[in-house]
Amino acid sequence: MQTRYTFGGDEHLFVECSDEMSLEAFFKSLSMANGVRASGIKGVTEICPANASFQIKFNPDIIHPDDILREVQTIEGAAEKAEPVIKTRIVEIPVFYNDPWTHETLMRFRERHQDPTGTDLEYAARINDFPSVDDFIEAHSGSPWFVSMVGFVAGLPFMYQMVERQRQIEVPKYLRPRTDTPRLTVGHGGCFGCIYSVRGAGGYQMFGITPMPIYDPTQTTSYLRDFMVFFRPGDIVKFKPIGRDEYDQAVEEVDKGTFAPPIREVRFDLREFQKDIDGTNAKLEGMLNGH
């Protein structure tokens, strides 16, 4: 679709690159948002990127709305010609699937679910045509995920599965949102995965929980001392299934300040990914494992 520009009130410009999520739409949105940031347009006070769009806050006393629109449209032209390559990082996130805490929570809210007789994992496996929950978990953790935006709740990443569209896991949200979701729940709604950074209400299906904090406003967590939010758009996530013993050990390491998530700096080229998705994913995994 053609990029859509919409003004919100007197001081916001909303830029929508696509009405459906894709890595191509994300790359265009990210490139444009970075271009606006790099251009230093006078009057721009904030840039908020999303999955396939972004919003700019500006001071209309400094720049006229028509002028900022022209500036951003010029940046769009440059972004369309830019190479779809980013320097980013891949991180391994341990996940205790089918854990007791999300299980207890989801059982309290079955009347709000499409399938009151089963669990979220059983429902997700069935509607995605997997023979078992184990097969579903293997698919969920078997390919990397791309962080397309961070927000809605502080530090919460929205993640897009890096496989062909026909292989992507899709599960609808609850019929009615829950009033409770455990902190660090690994969830899924529509085509997006997420990790709940804090405890609170939510409507995404609950698959498991990670012992790894991703948001710490006190900045006492060892790897969050520089910045309270772990994720940033463009990060690549690889889930690693763990059991209860590994989960407890990781929680203990977090408490002691010794937990260090495996992270590697990588170069991601969208064109290479589109030519060979499985090969690119295998290469990314190899880099994460030091191969």
Side-chain angles (χ1 to χ4, degrees):
M1 88 172 208
Q2 188 174 357
T3 301
R4 187 158 49 218
Y5 293 89
T6 312
F7 285 104
D10 295 331
E11 51 186 32
H12 292 92
L13 175 62
F14 181 61
V15 184
E16 190 176 8
C17 296
S18 175
D19 55 8
E20 65 177 30
M21 177 57 199
S22 67
L23 286 180
E24 293 84 357
F26 167 78
F27 265 74
K28 181 177 177 181
S29 169
L30 182 66
S31 180
M32 286 184 68
N34 288 342
V36 172
R37 190 175 291 109
S39 67
I41 301 170
K42 287 184 179 179
V44 170
T45 58
E46 195 173 348
I47 303 164
C48 181
N51 293 314
S53 60
F54 63 99
Q55 184 165 280
I56 301 168
K57 184 177 182 182
F58 61 94
N59 184 339
D61 293 331
I62 296 175
I63 184 167
H64 191 278
D66 291 343
D67 294 333
I68 194 167
L69 177 60
R70 269 194 300 272
E71 294 266 16
V72 177
Q73 286 173 329
T74 300
I75 289 167
E76 178 188 0
E80 288 175 340
K81 296 171 188 172
E83 290 191 339
V85 179
I86 59 171
K87 287 182 180 179
T88 185
R89 58 184 185 163
I90 182 168
V91 57
E92 183 178 87
I93 306 291
V95 181
F96 182 14
Y97 289 93
N98 217 357
D99 66 281
W101 305 285
T102 60
H103 181 81
E104 184 276 330
T105 303
L106 66 88
M107 294 307 291
R108 281 192 281 126
F109 293 97
R110 293 329 282 168
E111 82 284 356
R112 304 182 184 215
H113 195 273
Q114 292 86 345
D115 182 5
T117 62
T119 67
D120 293 7
L121 273 169
E122 289 168 345
Y123 172 68
R126 177 168 56 80
I127 68 169
N128 282 277
D129 297 323
F130 287 98
S132 69
V133 166
D134 286 344
D135 290 311
F136 177 83
I137 291 171
E138 187 176 332
H140 187 269
S141 61
S143 60
W145 297 71
F146 205 94
V147 176
S148 55
M149 69 170 279
V150 180
F152 183 69
V153 174
L156 184 151
F158 286 82
M159 297 174 286
Y160 187 75
Q161 193 176 20
M162 294 168 62
V163 293
E164 297 89 347
R165 189 174 289 270
Q166 63 268 25
R167 287 169 55 197
Q168 285 178 350
I169 292 167
E170 291 200 24
V171 195
K173 294 187 287 186
Y174 274 46
L175 297 174
R176 289 187 295 129
R178 300 176 303 274
T179 56
D180 190 23
T181 308
R183 172 177 169 262
L184 300 178
T185 290
V186 175
H188 196 96
C191 71
F192 285 108
C194 82
I195 301 173
Y196 283 77
S197 52
V198 297
R199 183 180 181 181
Y204 277 25
Q205 307 285 336
M206 296 183 288
F207 297 159
I209 201 162
T210 177
M212 177 184 157
I214 59 170
Y215 170 65
D216 179 7
T218 68
Q219 294 181 242
T220 54
T221 304
S222 57
Y223 52 88
L224 295 176
R225 284 181 185 140
D226 292 334
F227 191 52
M228 67 181 71
V229 171
F230 179 77
F231 285 111
R232 49 194 186 231
D235 278 347
I236 297 170
V237 172
K238 186 67 172 59
F239 293 123
K240 178 188 177 185
I242 59 172
R244 178 63 188 264
D245 289 346
E246 292 170 285
Y247 175 86
D248 289 342
Q249 181 181 345
V251 169
E252 186 178 331
E253 290 174 2
V254 169
D255 290 343
K256 289 179 178 177
T258 59
F259 183 85
I263 302 172
R264 297 288 182 274
E265 300 294 324
V266 296
R267 176 185 178 274
F268 182 79
D269 188 322
L270 181 61
R271 296 161 301 187
E272 292 177 3
F273 175 79
Q274 290 167 330
K275 286 178 188 173
D276 183 7
I277 292 175
D278 289 338
T280 302
N281 288 346
K283 188 188 297 184
L284 289 167
E285 265 193 80
M287 295 177 74
L288 183 58
N289 296 322
H291 299 154

